[in-house]
Amino acid sequence: MPSAKKPARGWLQRAFRGRWQGVGGAKIALGILSEVLFSLLLALMLFLLGSIVIVLRGVWPTGL
Amino acid sequence: MANRPVGRAKSSAVVYYAGWVTLWLGLSMTIPLLTALTFQEWPDFVNFWAGTALALFVGLAMILLARPAQGELSWMEGFAASALSWVVCMFLAAFPYYLSGHFGSYLDACFDVMSGFTTTGLVLIQDLDHASNALNMWRHLLTFLGGQGMVVLALTLLARSNPGAFKLYAGEAKDQRLLPSVGGTALAIWEISLVYLLLGTLAMFLAGLWIGLPPVPALLHGLWIFMSAWSTGGFAPNSQNIVYYHSLLYEAVAIPIMIAGSMNFGLHYAAWTGNRREIFKNIESVVFVTVLVLTFLIGISALPLQGGLVGPLGVFRRVAYTFISAQTTTGLQPVYAPAMAKTWGDTALFGASLAMLFGASASSTAGGFKGIRVGTLFKALSQELKRLLRPERAVVIEKVHFYRDVILDDTIVRSSALIVLLYILTFFGGVILTTALGNPIALSIFEVASATGNTGLSVGITQASEPWTLKVAFILIFFVARMEFISVLVLVGYLLGVLKSSVFSFGRP
């Protein structure tokens, strides 16, 4: 009969026990990707806003 | 944090815990020492050998001569030990700086160390383009260590030996507990930073190879720019800062690192443990996006658009990048300081100054008022307006989403208002001094906002030839702003107490 509580295996699992219990590599990767996505969306928003403002100010595109 | 009773401190315990932090500083100095050995930079090897020996000697002496707290550490001891650690570490970390010959005086070396520790990024170093790899490693390591927290580093071991270790942690202006134990929190902070260190350095390294840097410089520059961006420091291994690389790719790779570095460690922990929506819902993220967009709009609407700023890409690389750098309080500068001073105009500089003052998140590596305080104060303002507009008997409840919905009460509002008020007073004090020394008001506002927000963007006021009074004032501004005032005030009270007791006990049996 399998035991209900699995003991921590290996030094790596023991080292992180308590802080990252139940958190797999995939979950961490998704967390990092979400943070990067947030940054890129913000940068894209500023790029678009900047473009709109320079069009409204008549600075760009020139020669039209 | 501002409302905690601090009580009386025992000098022995304060010195003991500051000694542990100093010891860690000495151990971390072995990294530039090994760098000097690897690249056969023998003069720097000797400088860092002397620096390591001095820091280890002072740290050990402090630990051996003092005693740990009996029982739990008091708030005053925790706060005073944190602040004292930073002061002692500043003087010791400046030693190899001064020996390198790149600084005009020991004060200049202390200025750059405090700028690094507090992740500010304003510098007085001379002939940076000929600085050794070891010196650059130490400069960027200082900002990386300071960003996570000098005390946080020591706490990974110390916390096990004292139940009041959280007070040391809070004294360094990080009072977000990721985990129930402070030792676990300190380790989690380091684990998050080290994962980002690996990924961020790899990304910057690949970008460096792409733009044509040889492998070893690509790796070193990648590591240093990562450390600078993640810890929102703003240092670079060359005098032209990020402009040196002349690459949109290299600049762009640093953007997610700057923004991630300015996020609360609690937010990283929440996202990494599955609560990814928190990134978009958290009050600090909402404030960050709102302030960034508004200040950027002020800047871009007022900026004289000429030269390299005519197209959308030019505007993004020069203006949006500067505002991201300002709001995250990083200080990586895509425009030369004199060019910024001459061509940006007062309104655009004022917009960037506002971004630097508001800053990013609490319990992160960033500076400024911090999103949680700004969000709390705006919510409190909204609550007051609703109270005025609704019937007298109506109960107005305002909530702030900070990992969970928190009902706004007077204690939270008062604490936020007090810290923001201290930031504003410090800022005005700095502006008065800077203008009194003959600098134009708009440039003074920008430079002092950069110092108060621990940012590092510059319009050229900060330079080795500036008066010593301004250097000392800026060191103090970096320090009090990074520690969020309370610890420094407690340290001053503690030192006065020690002085008073030694004067009155002089000559007594």
Side-chain angles (χ1 to χ4, degrees):
Chain A
M1 203 173 148
S3 82
K5 196 179 171 187
K6 281 185 184 173
R9 285 168 299 173
W11 65 271
L12 198 63
Q13 277 168 305
R14 278 202 303 278
F16 294 102
R17 192 173 49 189
R19 291 189 300 284
W20 304 101
Q21 212 156 21
V23 184
K27 215 180 236 185
I28 291 178
L30 279 173
I32 294 172
L33 274 177
S34 308
E35 291 173 359
V36 173
L37 182 71
F38 174 77
S39 314
L40 295 180
L41 283 175
L42 198 54
L44 181 67
M45 189 162 72
L46 293 189
F47 177 76
L48 295 175
L49 269 176
S51 306
I52 293 168
V53 171
I54 57 174
V55 170
L56 289 176
R57 285 183 60 186
V59 183
W60 184 86
T62 49
L64 288 181
Chain B
M1 201 166 87
N3 299 327
R4 283 172 186 149
V6 287
R8 292 179 67 81
K10 289 190 179 70
S11 34
S12 186
V14 172
V15 173
Y16 177 83
Y17 292 106
W20 273 102
V21 180
T22 308
L23 196 69
W24 271 105
L25 179 88
L27 290 175
S28 61
M29 223 182 271
T30 54
I31 295 174
L33 182 73
L34 289 173
T35 310
L37 189 66
T38 307
F39 292 97
Q40 301 182 349
E41 296 166 341
W42 302 120
D44 284 279
F45 182 80
V46 175
N47 297 343
F48 281 103
W49 182 267
T52 307
L54 182 67
L56 290 178
F57 174 77
V58 173
L60 277 173
M62 287 165 83
I63 293 167
L64 293 175
L65 293 175
R67 279 190 214 136
Q70 299 296 313
E72 195 172 315
L73 201 67
S74 74
W75 280 109
M76 186 166 185
E77 285 163 349
F79 282 23
S82 286
L84 182 68
S85 306
W86 281 62
V87 175
V88 173
C89 286
M90 177 190 75
F91 284 112
L92 292 171
F95 189 57
Y97 263 26
Y98 181 65
L99 294 179
S100 73
H102 282 274
F103 294 88
S105 65
Y106 208 85
L107 178 64
D108 288 11
C110 287
F111 183 101
D112 271 36
V113 168
M114 191 52 95
S115 177
F117 272 154
T118 57
T119 74
T120 304
L122 292 170
V123 290
L124 297 178
I125 189 169
Q126 295 171 24
D127 197 20
L128 175 58
D129 297 316
H130 295 104
S132 65
N133 289 321
L135 189 66
N136 267 316
M137 184 64 82
W138 187 227
R139 292 176 66 231
H140 291 86
L141 188 65
L142 282 182
T143 199
F144 188 64
L145 294 177
Q148 320 323 303
M150 294 299 298
V151 172
V152 167
L153 182 69
L155 275 179
T156 50
L157 285 183
L158 254 182
R160 288 166 201 175
S161 64
N162 193 294
F166 179 71
K167 292 152 192 170
L168 282 164
Y169 174 69
E172 206 175 42
K174 278 190 170 63
D175 51 4
Q176 179 87 38
R177 272 188 200 239
L178 312 188
L179 292 153
S181 83
V182 69
T185 298
L187 279 171
I189 285 177
W190 274 99
E191 283 155 5
I192 290 167
S193 295
L194 291 177
V195 168
Y196 260 107
L197 176 76
L198 289 176
L199 295 176
T201 304
L202 180 67
M204 295 303 309
F205 168 64
L206 293 176
L209 288 180
W210 182 263
I211 63 170
L213 289 176
V216 173
L219 181 64
L220 288 176
H221 283 237
L223 174 67
W224 295 333
I225 295 291
F226 166 79
M227 284 178 169
S228 180
W230 168 257
S231 58
T232 67
F235 283 170
N238 43 67
S239 56
Q240 297 171 2
N241 207 273
I242 201 80
V243 184
Y244 170 82
Y245 302 98
H246 287 291
S247 162
L248 173 64
L249 175 75
Y250 208 79
E251 292 161 15
V253 173
I255 291 177
I257 304 174
M258 285 194 271
I259 295 177
S262 74
M263 284 179 180
N264 195 312
F265 279 104
L267 194 58
H268 288 298
Y269 191 74
W272 290 22
T273 50
N275 187 8
R276 289 182 289 278
R277 285 189 180 183
E278 188 64 29
I279 298 173
F280 299 89
K281 277 167 52 184
N282 194 290
I283 182 76
E284 293 200 299
S285 304
V286 175
V287 170
F288 182 81
V289 174
T290 312
V291 173
L292 180 56
V293 167
L294 291 178
T295 52
F296 173 65
L297 283 175
I298 293 173
I300 193 70
S301 305
L303 201 72
L305 296 168
Q306 56 198 3
L309 297 176
V310 284
L313 211 56
V315 164
F316 179 75
R317 281 183 73 179
R318 301 285 174 256
V319 190
Y321 201 90
T322 302
F323 276 82
I324 292 172
S325 185
Q327 178 77 32
T328 56
T329 74
T330 306
L332 286 179
Q333 193 155 347
V335 189
Y336 294 121
M340 207 166 168
K342 279 183 187 157
T343 60
W344 270 47
D346 294 352
T347 313
L349 288 178
F350 184 67
S353 305
L354 278 181
M356 292 191 282
L357 282 174
F358 278 90
S361 299
S363 289
S364 71
T365 65
F369 300 161
K370 313 281 181 339
I372 180 66
R373 298 201 182 98
V374 177
T376 300
L377 293 180
F378 273 96
K379 285 276 183 181
L381 183 67
S382 146
Q383 191 179 28
E384 283 308 303
L385 287 175
K386 283 177 190 168
R387 269 193 195 136
L388 288 172
L389 295 172
R390 288 183 186 171
E392 275 185 40
R393 285 186 183 180
V395 178
V396 181
I397 293 174
E398 199 72 65
K399 288 177 186 168
V400 172
H401 184 79
F402 191 57
Y403 306 101
R404 57 191 169 85
D405 285 338
V406 182
I407 294 174
L408 209 61
D409 67 31
D410 287 349
T411 319
I412 300 173
V413 176
R414 194 177 61 178
S415 170
S416 299
L418 199 71
I419 300 289
V420 171
L421 179 69
L422 286 169
Y423 269 110
I424 292 171
L425 289 175
T426 306
F427 168 69
F428 277 116
V431 171
I432 290 168
L433 179 68
T434 313
T435 46
L437 290 169
N439 296 293
I441 181 79
L443 301 187
S444 300
I445 285 175
F446 185 91
E447 201 84 358
V448 178
S450 178
T452 314
N454 294 126
T455 308
L457 291 173
S458 176
V459 280
I461 290 178
T462 303
Q463 47 186 299
S465 59
E466 75 186 29
W468 68 269
T469 40
L470 200 57
K471 291 175 187 173
V472 172
F474 270 34
I475 290 174
L476 286 173
I477 292 174
F478 302 157
F479 185 41
V480 294
R482 172 64 176 84
M483 304 298 271
E484 298 189 343
F485 306 97
I486 306 301
S487 305
V488 182
L489 295 176
V490 168
L491 178 66
V492 172
Y494 156 76
L495 290 175
L496 286 175
V498 169
L499 192 72
K500 201 170 146 188
S501 63
S502 49
V503 167
F504 283 109
S505 64
F506 184 72
R508 285 183 192 169

